[in-house]
Amino acid sequence: MTRKLRLGMVGGGQGAFIGAVHRIAARLDDRFELVAGALSSDAARAQASAAEVGITRSYPDWREMARAEAARDDGIDAVAIVTPNHLHAPVATAFLEAGIHVICDKPLAISLAEAEALAKLAREKKKLFALTHTYSGYPMVRHARELVDAGELGDIRVVQVEYAQDWLAEPIENTGTNKQAGWRTDPAQSGPAGCLGDIGTHAYHLAAFVTGMLPKELSAEVHTFVPGRKLDDHVQVMLRYANGARGMLWASQVASGAENALRLRVYGTKAGLAFDQEYPNDLWFTPLGGASERLTRGRVKSAIAAHATRVPPGHPEGYLEAFAQLYLDAALQIEALDAGKPVPPESRLLTTVDDGVEGMRFIETVLRSSGMNAQYQEIGNG
Amino acid sequence: MTRKLRLGMVGGGQGAFIGAVHRIAARLDDRFELVAGALSSDAARAQASAAEVGITRSYPDWREMARAEAARDDGIDAVAIVTPNHLHAPVATAFLEAGIHVICDKPLAISLAEAEALAKLAREKKKLFALTHTYSGYPMVRHARELVDAGELGDIRVVQVEYAQDWLAEPIENTGTNKQAGWRTDPAQSGPAGCLGDIGTHAYHLAAFVTGMLPKELSAEVHTFVPGRKLDDHVQVMLRYANGARGMLWASQVASGAENALRLRVYGTKAGLAFDQEYPNDLWFTPLGGASERLTRGRVKSAIAAHATRVPPGHPEGYLEAFAQLYLDAALQIEALDAGKPVPPESRLLTTVDDGVEGMRFIETVLRSSGMNAQYQEIGNG
Amino acid sequence: MTRKLRLGMVGGGQGAFIGAVHRIAARLDDRFELVAGALSSDAARAQASAAEVGITRSYPDWREMARAEAARDDGIDAVAIVTPNHLHAPVATAFLEAGIHVICDKPLAISLAEAEALAKLAREKKKLFALTHTYSGYPMVRHARELVDAGELGDIRVVQVEYAQDWLAEPIENTGTNKQAGWRTDPAQSGPAGCLGDIGTHAYHLAAFVTGMLPKELSAEVHTFVPGRKLDDHVQVMLRYANGARGMLWASQVASGAENALRLRVYGTKAGLAFDQEYPNDLWFTPLGGASERLTRGRVKSAIAAHATRVPPGHPEGYLEAFAQLYLDAALQIEALDAGKPVPPESRLLTTVDDGVEGMRFIETVLRSSGMNAQYQEIGNG
Amino acid sequence: MTRKLRLGMVGGGQGAFIGAVHRIAARLDDRFELVAGALSSDAARAQASAAEVGITRSYPDWREMARAEAARDDGIDAVAIVTPNHLHAPVATAFLEAGIHVICDKPLAISLAEAEALAKLAREKKKLFALTHTYSGYPMVRHARELVDAGELGDIRVVQVEYAQDWLAEPIENTGTNKQAGWRTDPAQSGPAGCLGDIGTHAYHLAAFVTGMLPKELSAEVHTFVPGRKLDDHVQVMLRYANGARGMLWASQVASGAENALRLRVYGTKAGLAFDQEYPNDLWFTPLGGASERLTRGRVKSAIAAHATRVPPGHPEGYLEAFAQLYLDAALQIEALDAGKPVPPESRLLTTVDDGVEGMRFIETVLRSSGMNAQYQEIGNG
């Protein structure tokens, strides 16, 4: 076994959700050890949180952490950034400047300009910049992408993607006790997009990841249902692709009854497929005129799916394993980068800073279109 | 048992699909006997088709049929119009003028103007004008409407409706052997809308039927994927409602792998519901924060659902029973109208000519928006 | 169109369930007209019921009906027997003796001896004797049988069949208002088997119909959960087949939460299949090591399924259509028999009196085994 | 954060399946560090396997490991036993004798006598003895148990449990390359039960865990379908409970098309529930006469479920998380035992050596009944 990579974390202190997820994900495949952290902007809470999760090198400030870790012989190899959105770019910049690999939560930043600057910096520094679009870590999502790549769907015609939740159906951000709801509905911490940034970008990324296509223009509307809420809690979008395909995307955090219903359907000239995040061990594939097939990782011959799984078919994997897959791929890439070797092919599906740039471009185009009564707007991607 | 109503039929000869469905539906609850028909514009085929289905009074021409039946003491009480779309209005007009009740397939006409004229005429003549939006005949669809009416969903916020098929994914209208594909992709017979008129109107009606709301404006795009096809085979729409609700509708006949996937989801401030036409015995209801419930007609106390069913719960009903329900309700209303009595309350969910007018308004608004690069357009209903 | 067959009915008056089902089923494909009946053993109720359903020739007594109809030139071609079980044999005998075809509800009789006598008589009289095991009328059940016949499952190893309901979970027969519960739990009317005869025989028949195999021995236990109930309300059985296959069957009318959950799974050396009566438009087929396929009648090339359906795929069919299929096949066979022609091959899956004999043999063997503390008993079929 | 517990492992070298699962499970919640192992009976393989997984204290022999670790100040707190079945008892005995807590794979032993001796020893030594019946770690399984405990089902009447796989449908043990198939079909390593011991015991335990009831007698048959196989690959059982409930259990490793289909259904006088291991985030609950409810951990208020989960509802958890839950509960109990404190209540659902004894009693009773042509046998538990 090679040495475990040393991981630091910024954000993710007590009361946070995604920090704990990152820690389990990093640990699951035994490629990282968490050794340093600036878990909270509140120094006492940072210290307490660090003690709670067994981090010995606790920093009160992430700038100091970047400097100090860079200076140590046994400094961290990579940092996981799990702060609210507004800190993604400054923190990532500091660690990249310090020569430390970055694994960052999504959305990448709070503006496209920030995102593009980060991408430029990551390229210059030749450091890994992974963006944790978790859902691309599922084996059956990766297999779906492979089916598209292999032409099994033919030419893609229709993309339908959606992400429905209901946890913000009421103004829980006003209770003061829900830290998650608080920052995610606060423009100062979340940036200009609410539901759009939080889950709309996941839907957008999932569709792009599987189809291998980004739309070229969109017509969109964001909406806020809950009175007094400062950011959108619902978004709906129509999409046009360069190849003539059409699509629709919607995301909502007020869809009463929905827990975490991210679903993708893609229809091509030869077949269609469907994926439902709440049942991630299944992928549905239906040839034109044929029977729907429930594909599972045990029933497909897929190196790409096999690389992204740990247990035999019928033994369900879930969200944490998908997340862990991003960390596993990150480990493989970091080891290769540090050794000056080519990145292992099986790790290449890891989401990158460029995916994050596209996510921000999506956000800004949606907001622009929405501000113009949903007029179609060019997205301007590659 | 009261006398069976005498039914005539226009269209529905050999090679047709929906004619046979209407005949079974009319027969199922034993309230109609089919006695007359002009089943085809081809006289020989009309005669042969009539013999095949046991109709003794076969007419070569529907104008003649209207005149002759109106003149008989034992003339038909009602006519079922199951022709291609372009004949709906002229045929219906002739029979209404002859004082005969009308049960007509959807869409109502090939233009809004035609539709409005029909509605006006039906009102003047005080005759029944039922439009066969089949899916409103399902007991669980009717129960869904009742849940909304009763406020179980709270204020409606989000409407998602879709209708996906794949039978036109290839240019089968060019084979010359598929009568269905032939007329449904031919503007001369279908009018200006393809997929939009054929199934988009079903989706639109289902959403309106359940929510009790019509949108006030929409942004839409129709698209034709199959090269050479003369009408749209895909449509996507964003909807705005007067109460602030938002919605999306899409319909496609090129969605590879889909058979007849009409699905509706409605989210309100208190609960959400979901219906899938391919599994019509189930209705899913989820209170905000609560568990999803699989409602079946056996597990709800619902007079409205009970009126629309024939067999005990767990004994699945399907498309033909939903269709039969429209005929049953039509029979109840015809008997009341002819007796000068009020229409029985339990039959009041029967789709009307006014629903058909709204369907045509939807078609024209979608086409107008689509022609203007999907700019939002007022629908102008009620 | 050929002349409609004239149908009579014994049983099925007001308050009955299955009589109305038979009437719709007989009507659905337009091959029968109901012209005569002895709908109740109570003369006044018989008359009122007949008037309600439009029967002009109402008889107070089925013996008289058999005599009178046999004597008429326009007498009935066939009789539908929808009485409680204890009358099946005497009524069927009377009509067979009168030279009238018989369509009889299941179970065939209240003893094996009665059943065998009926089978002998039907053979002697060369009359149709159809037994309405409804579930064999579903297109996908017939397709399942075809898959087995064609060797697609390989050698069958395991058969799992079950039928769960909950409508008798409480002693509703004691309320005096539930006619169904009353006679079905009364040995004088139902014979010696309760749940076993009512739904256990359906499960047994479905397994035999699809696999083409009858077990050669069984170990069984019947049980009565509801205190004071006079017949069993739960049965469980282990099965051994001549080819070495093993099976299990259970049926319960106290399975809280179950509506009408008849499910069959068959596993062979090459593939497995599964059918759930509550979702009858789907058949699940899984090759060993392959993906599960959702077969629908639109996605299989199956003449046998096509013969048993009326509407396109995606337009769900249900229980009434399955029932109607038995009547359609019966009509085809009656016409052939009366014309002295061979029975049409596509109608040959119609359940026969011999199936009824096997059902009674199953009942008696289960009761014998149950009485011997579930010792294995030879069934003695074939 | 308290000190991580030091874990050793016996078995689980290269080619094993369950060893890796235990390692991930132990790591997931960060309560254990794996520091010692005797991963293989082959010394070289043991060494190589240890290196691969980062274990520094590798032993060629488990007896030596027990002695050496007991002697160290920093010796292991607990050992995970993941060998073939025949070694469970001797290895566990050695470590218990050495005063080391035991976490052991199931089935507990290869005979009831061995199992009872182990249980006695564990009690004497006052050490934890956890048995990894994984499926009891799922939050919704624990919630199911709580529903039963709380009387939500009323009196239990019917228990249906099954476990179907197809990976042994062909004689893959003869290929020599499948280590899993090799030992699991070898009586010398597996003991007298094949499918029965491997997965039948899981089904038996799951039913007992949820219902809180062990049956008092059973009628059973084991069967071997694959020619030449030395152990059973199929088992079917009928169960009687002391309270009058009835049950059935079947398990098969030749059920073509099944991956890992462990399913439990329980019906009581007030409600029924259903759980399917392949979709473990859902639990189905249906009140008598009411609608089926899809319970998820986000939609139930359940401290017991909350204790067994890591991520928000809608973020699916799977097999590894269920397994990790056993390790988490084991950690809680070990810490309490070592501190002389009472075991924390939330950890009390952890499976014990007594569950293992019941599993062995089940195996022996099934084999005895099967040898007597499935005659009912007393199980003799509690």
Side-chain angles (χ1 to χ4, degrees):
Chain A
M1 184 172 166
T2 52
R3 162 175 92 77
K4 288 191 210 175
L5 296 169
R6 288 182 292 268
L7 182 69
M9 179 169 281
V10 177
Q14 292 159 336
F17 144 56
I18 205 68
V21 167
H22 275 257
R23 287 190 292 267
I24 296 175
R27 192 160 60 228
L28 201 139
D29 289 314
D30 214 18
R31 305 299 286 256
F32 291 91
E33 54 180 334
L34 182 63
V35 298
L39 298 193
S40 172
S41 53
D42 174 287
R45 185 196 287 256
Q47 184 62 43
S49 299
E52 206 173 282
V53 301
I55 291 177
T56 45
R57 302 204 297 265
S58 173
Y59 297 90
D61 180 84
W62 48 268
R63 290 171 203 83
E64 181 188 331
M65 175 176 161
R67 275 191 304 268
E69 290 293 321
R72 293 176 71 104
D73 281 351
D74 64 350
I76 57 173
D77 298 288
V79 68
I81 303 174
V82 297
T83 62
N85 305 342
H86 68 304
L87 291 175
H88 291 178
V91 175
T93 302
F95 281 84
L96 283 176
E97 295 284 6
I100 293 170
H101 301 287
V102 171
I103 298 167
C104 184
D105 220 316
K106 44 50 59 187
L108 177 55
I110 55 170
S111 73
L112 176 57
E114 260 191 4
E116 287 177 330
L118 269 182
K120 183 161 172 289
L121 182 62
R123 271 191 300 274
E124 285 168 10
K125 295 293 181 183
K126 297 188 168 43
K127 293 293 157 189
L128 175 86
F129 197 117
L131 194 76
T132 52
H133 274 303
T134 324
Y135 306 108
S136 63
Y138 281 122
M140 297 320 290
V141 166
R142 293 186 169 197
H143 184 65
R145 177 191 172 107
E146 192 167 65
L147 288 173
V148 173
D149 274 356
E152 297 289 331
L153 271 75
D155 297 327
I156 291 174
R157 286 174 164 171
V158 182
V159 177
Q160 294 284 345
V161 66
E162 63 187 54
Y163 199 150
Q165 300 179 331
D166 72 358
W167 71 289
L168 289 176
E170 298 185 334
I172 58 171
E173 64 266 40
N174 298 340
T175 61
T177 60
N178 192 316
K179 186 176 166 183
Q180 289 299 311
W183 79 256
R184 288 180 199 269
T185 59
D186 174 10
Q189 296 180 77
S190 261
C195 170
L196 168 61
D198 192 19
I199 60 174
T201 52
H202 270 312
Y204 187 73
H205 180 261
L206 181 65
F209 182 84
V210 169
T211 64
M213 301 194 310
L214 286 166
K216 74 175 171 53
E217 46 186 342
L218 61 76
S219 157
E221 177 169 11
V222 296
H223 190 71
T224 304
F225 280 105
V226 173
R229 180 158 291 159
K230 293 185 220 134
L231 287 171
D232 67 275
D233 49 26
H234 180 82
V235 54
Q236 49 195 43
V237 190
M238 300 201 295
L239 304 164
R240 291 179 185 149
Y241 292 83
N243 79 335
R246 291 295 186 273
M248 296 178 92
L249 177 155
W250 67 277
S252 186
Q253 294 180 315
V254 302
S256 290
E259 291 193 332
N260 200 39
L262 170 60
R263 292 178 194 156
L264 173 67
R265 290 170 293 176
V266 181
Y267 304 97
T269 48
K270 292 169 57 180
L273 61 76
F275 177 78
D276 178 347
Q277 190 277 145
E278 294 189 347
Y279 300 95
N281 295 277
D282 296 339
L283 174 68
W284 292 89
F285 178 79
T286 315
L288 178 59
S292 288
E293 298 169 23
R294 175 187 167 233
L295 305 183
T296 62
R297 57 191 198 276
R299 305 293 160 141
V300 296
K301 295 207 181 345
S302 169
I304 212 169
H307 170 65
T309 188
R310 288 138 198 89
V311 282
H315 297 71
E317 293 187 308
Y319 177 82
L320 287 169
E321 289 79 8
F323 217 116
Q325 187 60 31
L326 305 189
Y327 270 89
L328 176 58
D329 289 335
L332 293 172
Q333 295 199 5
I334 289 170
E335 286 162 5
L337 285 168
D338 288 354
K341 292 184 187 162
V343 161
E346 68 272 22
S347 75
R348 282 188 186 274
L349 297 183
L350 180 61
T351 325
T352 70
V353 71
D354 295 320
D355 294 303
V357 171
E358 296 305 334
M360 291 311 302
R361 210 188 302 279
F362 169 69
I363 288 175
E364 297 205 348
T365 315
V366 165
L367 292 175
R368 190 167 68 243
S369 174
S370 188
M372 300 171 70
N373 199 26
Q375 278 187 31
Y376 262 102
Q377 298 293 309
E378 296 279 333
I379 300 174
N381 49 53
Chain B
M1 184 172 167
T2 52
R3 161 176 92 77
K4 287 192 211 177
L5 296 169
R6 287 181 292 268
L7 183 68
M9 180 170 280
V10 177
Q14 292 159 336
F17 144 57
I18 205 69
V21 167
H22 275 256
R23 287 189 292 269
I24 296 175
R27 191 159 61 228
L28 202 138
D29 288 316
D30 214 21
R31 306 298 286 256
F32 290 92
E33 54 180 334
L34 182 63
V35 298
L39 299 193
S40 173
S41 53
D42 174 287
R45 186 196 285 254
Q47 184 62 44
S49 299
E52 207 174 280
V53 301
I55 290 177
T56 44
R57 302 203 299 264
S58 173
Y59 297 89
D61 180 84
W62 49 267
R63 291 170 202 82
E64 181 188 330
M65 174 176 161
R67 275 191 304 267
E69 290 293 322
R72 292 177 70 106
D73 280 351
D74 65 348
I76 57 174
D77 297 289
V79 67
I81 303 176
V82 296
T83 62
N85 306 343
H86 68 303
L87 292 174
H88 290 177
V91 175
T93 302
F95 282 84
L96 284 176
E97 296 282 9
I100 293 169
H101 301 287
V102 171
I103 297 166
C104 184
D105 220 315
K106 43 52 57 189
L108 176 57
I110 56 172
S111 73
L112 177 56
E114 260 189 5
E116 288 176 330
L118 271 181
K120 184 162 173 289
L121 182 61
R123 272 191 300 274
E124 286 167 9
K125 296 291 181 183
K126 297 187 169 42
K127 292 293 158 190
L128 174 87
F129 197 116
L131 194 75
T132 52
H133 273 303
T134 324
Y135 306 108
S136 63
Y138 281 122
M140 297 319 291
V141 166
R142 292 184 169 196
H143 184 66
R145 177 191 173 107
E146 193 167 64
L147 288 173
V148 173
D149 275 356
E152 297 289 332
L153 272 74
D155 297 327
I156 290 175
R157 286 175 164 172
V158 183
V159 177
Q160 294 285 346
V161 65
E162 62 187 54
Y163 200 151
Q165 300 179 331
D166 72 357
W167 70 291
L168 289 176
E170 298 185 334
I172 58 170
E173 65 266 39
N174 298 340
T175 61
T177 61
N178 192 315
K179 186 176 166 181
Q180 289 301 309
W183 80 256
R184 286 180 200 269
T185 59
D186 174 9
Q189 296 181 78
S190 263
C195 170
L196 169 61
D198 192 18
I199 61 176
T201 52
H202 271 313
Y204 187 74
H205 180 261
L206 181 65
F209 182 85
V210 169
T211 63
M213 302 193 308
L214 286 166
K216 74 175 172 50
E217 46 185 342
L218 61 77
S219 157
E221 176 169 12
V222 296
H223 190 71
T224 304
F225 280 105
V226 173
R229 179 160 292 161
K230 292 184 220 138
L231 287 171
D232 67 275
D233 48 27
H234 180 83
V235 55
Q236 49 196 42
V237 189
M238 299 201 298
L239 304 163
R240 290 180 185 147
Y241 292 83
N243 78 336
R246 293 295 186 272
M248 296 178 92
L249 177 155
W250 68 276
S252 186
Q253 293 180 314
V254 303
S256 290
E259 292 194 331
N260 199 40
L262 171 61
R263 291 177 194 158
L264 172 68
R265 290 171 293 176
V266 181
Y267 304 97
T269 48
K270 293 170 56 181
L273 60 77
F275 176 78
D276 178 347
Q277 190 275 146
E278 295 189 346
Y279 300 95
N281 295 278
D282 296 340
L283 174 68
W284 292 89
F285 178 79
T286 315
L288 178 59
S292 289
E293 298 169 23
R294 173 187 168 235
L295 306 183
T296 61
R297 57 192 199 275
R299 305 292 160 142
V300 296
K301 297 211 182 338
S302 170
I304 212 170
H307 169 64
T309 188
R310 288 139 198 90
V311 283
H315 297 71
E317 293 188 307
Y319 178 83
L320 288 169
E321 288 80 9
F323 218 117
Q325 187 59 31
L326 305 189
Y327 270 90
L328 175 59
D329 288 335
L332 293 172
Q333 296 199 4
I334 289 170
E335 287 162 4
L337 285 169
D338 288 355
K341 291 183 186 161
V343 162
E346 68 271 22
S347 75
R348 281 188 187 274
L349 297 183
L350 180 61
T351 325
T352 69
V353 71
D354 295 319
D355 295 301
V357 171
E358 293 308 332
M360 292 312 301
R361 211 188 302 278
F362 170 67
I363 287 175
E364 296 205 350
T365 315
V366 165
L367 292 174
R368 188 168 69 244
S369 173
S370 187
M372 298 171 72
N373 200 25
Q375 278 187 31
Y376 261 103
Q377 300 292 310
E378 295 279 333
I379 300 173
N381 50 53
Chain C
M1 184 172 167
T2 52
R3 160 175 94 76
K4 287 192 210 175
L5 296 169
R6 288 182 292 268
L7 183 68
M9 180 169 281
V10 177
Q14 291 159 337
F17 144 56
I18 205 69
V21 167
H22 276 257
R23 288 190 291 270
I24 296 176
R27 191 160 61 228
L28 201 139
D29 289 315
D30 213 20
R31 306 298 286 256
F32 290 92
E33 54 180 334
L34 182 63
V35 297
L39 298 193
S40 173
S41 52
D42 175 287
R45 185 196 287 255
Q47 185 62 44
S49 299
E52 206 173 281
V53 302
I55 290 178
T56 45
R57 302 204 298 265
S58 172
Y59 297 90
D61 179 83
W62 49 266
R63 291 171 203 83
E64 182 189 329
M65 175 176 161
R67 274 192 305 269
E69 290 293 322
R72 294 176 69 105
D73 280 353
D74 64 349
I76 57 173
D77 297 288
V79 68
I81 304 175
V82 297
T83 63
N85 306 343
H86 67 304
L87 291 175
H88 290 179
V91 175
T93 302
F95 281 84
L96 284 175
E97 295 283 7
I100 293 169
H101 301 286
V102 171
I103 297 167
C104 184
D105 219 314
K106 44 50 58 187
L108 176 55
I110 57 170
S111 73
L112 176 56
E114 259 190 5
E116 288 177 329
L118 269 182
K120 184 161 172 291
L121 182 63
R123 271 191 300 274
E124 285 168 10
K125 295 293 181 183
K126 295 188 169 45
K127 292 293 157 190
L128 175 87
F129 197 116
L131 194 76
T132 51
H133 273 304
T134 324
Y135 306 108
S136 63
Y138 281 121
M140 297 320 290
V141 166
R142 293 184 169 197
H143 185 65
R145 178 190 173 108
E146 192 167 65
L147 288 173
V148 173
D149 275 356
E152 297 289 330
L153 271 74
D155 298 326
I156 290 174
R157 286 175 164 171
V158 183
V159 177
Q160 295 285 346
V161 65
E162 63 187 54
Y163 199 150
Q165 300 179 332
D166 72 357
W167 70 291
L168 289 176
E170 299 185 333
I172 57 170
E173 64 266 40
N174 298 340
T175 60
T177 60
N178 191 315
K179 186 175 166 182
Q180 289 299 311
W183 78 256
R184 287 180 199 270
T185 60
D186 174 8
Q189 296 180 78
S190 262
C195 171
L196 169 60
D198 192 19
I199 61 175
T201 52
H202 271 312
Y204 187 73
H205 180 261
L206 182 65
F209 182 84
V210 169
T211 64
M213 300 194 311
L214 285 166
K216 75 175 173 50
E217 46 185 343
L218 61 76
S219 157
E221 177 169 10
V222 297
H223 190 70
T224 304
F225 280 105
V226 173
R229 179 159 292 160
K230 294 186 218 134
L231 288 171
D232 67 275
D233 50 26
H234 180 81
V235 54
Q236 50 195 43
V237 190
M238 301 201 296
L239 304 164
R240 291 179 185 148
Y241 291 84
N243 78 336
R246 292 296 186 273
M248 296 178 92
L249 177 154
W250 67 277
S252 187
Q253 293 180 315
V254 303
S256 290
E259 292 194 332
N260 199 40
L262 170 61
R263 292 178 194 158
L264 172 68
R265 290 169 294 176
V266 181
Y267 304 96
T269 48
K270 292 169 58 180
L273 61 76
F275 176 78
D276 178 346
Q277 190 277 145
E278 294 189 348
Y279 300 94
N281 295 277
D282 295 341
L283 173 69
W284 292 89
F285 177 79
T286 315
L288 178 59
S292 289
E293 297 169 24
R294 175 187 167 234
L295 304 183
T296 61
R297 56 192 200 276
R299 305 292 161 142
V300 296
K301 296 206 180 342
S302 169
I304 211 170
H307 170 65
T309 188
R310 289 140 198 89
V311 281
H315 297 70
E317 294 187 309
Y319 178 82
L320 288 169
E321 289 79 9
F323 218 116
Q325 187 60 31
L326 305 188
Y327 270 89
L328 175 59
D329 288 335
L332 294 172
Q333 295 199 6
I334 288 170
E335 287 162 4
L337 286 169
D338 289 355
K341 291 184 186 162
V343 162
E346 69 272 21
S347 75
R348 281 186 187 276
L349 297 183
L350 180 61
T351 324
T352 70
V353 71
D354 295 320
D355 295 302
V357 171
E358 295 306 334
M360 291 312 302
R361 210 189 302 280
F362 169 68
I363 287 175
E364 295 205 349
T365 314
V366 165
L367 292 175
R368 189 167 68 243
S369 174
S370 188
M372 301 171 69
N373 199 27
Q375 278 188 32
Y376 262 102
Q377 299 293 308
E378 295 279 332
I379 301 174
N381 50 52
Chain D
M1 185 172 165
T2 53
R3 160 177 92 78
K4 288 191 210 177
L5 297 169
R6 286 181 293 269
L7 183 68
M9 180 169 280
V10 177
Q14 291 159 337
F17 144 57
I18 204 69
V21 167
H22 275 257
R23 288 190 291 268
I24 296 175
R27 191 160 61 229
L28 202 137
D29 288 316
D30 214 20
R31 307 298 287 254
F32 290 91
E33 54 180 336
L34 181 63
V35 298
L39 299 191
S40 172
S41 54
D42 175 285
R45 185 196 286 254
Q47 184 61 44
S49 299
E52 208 173 280
V53 302
I55 290 177
T56 44
R57 302 203 297 265
S58 172
Y59 298 90
D61 179 85
W62 49 267
R63 291 171 202 81
E64 183 188 328
M65 175 176 160
R67 274 191 305 269
E69 290 293 323
R72 294 176 69 106
D73 281 353
D74 65 348
I76 57 174
D77 297 288
V79 67
I81 304 175
V82 296
T83 63
N85 306 342
H86 67 304
L87 292 175
H88 290 178
V91 175
T93 301
F95 281 83
L96 284 175
E97 295 283 8
I100 293 169
H101 301 287
V102 171
I103 297 166
C104 184
D105 220 315
K106 42 52 58 189
L108 177 56
I110 56 173
S111 73
L112 177 57
E114 260 189 4
E116 288 176 329
L118 271 182
K120 184 162 174 289
L121 182 61
R123 271 191 298 274
E124 285 168 11
K125 296 291 180 183
K126 297 188 167 42
K127 291 294 157 187
L128 174 87
F129 197 117
L131 195 76
T132 51
H133 274 303
T134 323
Y135 306 108
S136 62
Y138 281 121
M140 296 319 290
V141 166
R142 293 185 168 196
H143 184 66
R145 177 192 173 107
E146 193 167 64
L147 289 173
V148 173
D149 274 357
E152 297 289 330
L153 272 75
D155 297 327
I156 291 175
R157 287 175 163 172
V158 183
V159 178
Q160 295 285 345
V161 66
E162 62 187 55
Y163 199 150
Q165 299 180 331
D166 72 357
W167 70 291
L168 289 175
E170 298 185 334
I172 58 170
E173 64 266 40
N174 298 340
T175 60
T177 59
N178 191 314
K179 186 177 167 182
Q180 288 300 309
W183 80 256
R184 287 180 200 267
T185 60
D186 175 9
Q189 296 180 78
S190 262
C195 170
L196 169 60
D198 192 18
I199 61 175
T201 52
H202 270 312
Y204 187 73
H205 180 262
L206 182 65
F209 181 85
V210 170
T211 64
M213 302 194 308
L214 286 166
K216 75 176 171 51
E217 45 186 342
L218 61 76
S219 157
E221 177 169 12
V222 296
H223 190 71
T224 304
F225 280 106
V226 173
R229 179 159 292 161
K230 292 185 220 138
L231 287 171
D232 68 274
D233 49 26
H234 180 83
V235 55
Q236 50 195 43
V237 189
M238 301 201 298
L239 304 164
R240 291 179 185 149
Y241 292 83
N243 78 336
R246 292 295 185 272
M248 296 178 92
L249 177 155
W250 66 277
S252 186
Q253 293 180 315
V254 303
S256 290
E259 292 194 332
N260 200 40
L262 171 61
R263 291 176 195 160
L264 172 68
R265 289 169 294 177
V266 181
Y267 305 96
T269 48
K270 292 169 56 182
L273 62 76
F275 176 77
D276 178 347
Q277 190 275 146
E278 294 189 348
Y279 300 94
N281 295 278
D282 295 341
L283 174 68
W284 292 89
F285 177 79
T286 316
L288 178 57
S292 289
E293 297 169 23
R294 174 186 167 235
L295 306 183
T296 61
R297 58 192 198 277
R299 305 292 161 142
V300 296
K301 295 209 183 336
S302 169
I304 212 169
H307 170 64
T309 189
R310 289 140 198 89
V311 282
H315 297 71
E317 293 186 309
Y319 178 83
L320 288 169
E321 288 80 8
F323 218 117
Q325 187 60 31
L326 305 189
Y327 270 89
L328 175 59
D329 288 335
L332 293 172
Q333 296 199 4
I334 289 170
E335 287 163 4
L337 285 169
D338 289 356
K341 291 184 187 162
V343 161
E346 68 272 22
S347 75
R348 281 188 187 275
L349 297 183
L350 180 61
T351 325
T352 70
V353 71
D354 295 319
D355 295 301
V357 171
E358 295 306 333
M360 291 313 301
R361 211 188 303 278
F362 169 67
I363 288 175
E364 296 205 350
T365 314
V366 165
L367 293 175
R368 188 167 70 244
S369 174
S370 188
M372 299 171 71
N373 199 26
Q375 278 187 30
Y376 262 102
Q377 300 292 309
E378 295 279 333
I379 301 173
N381 49 52

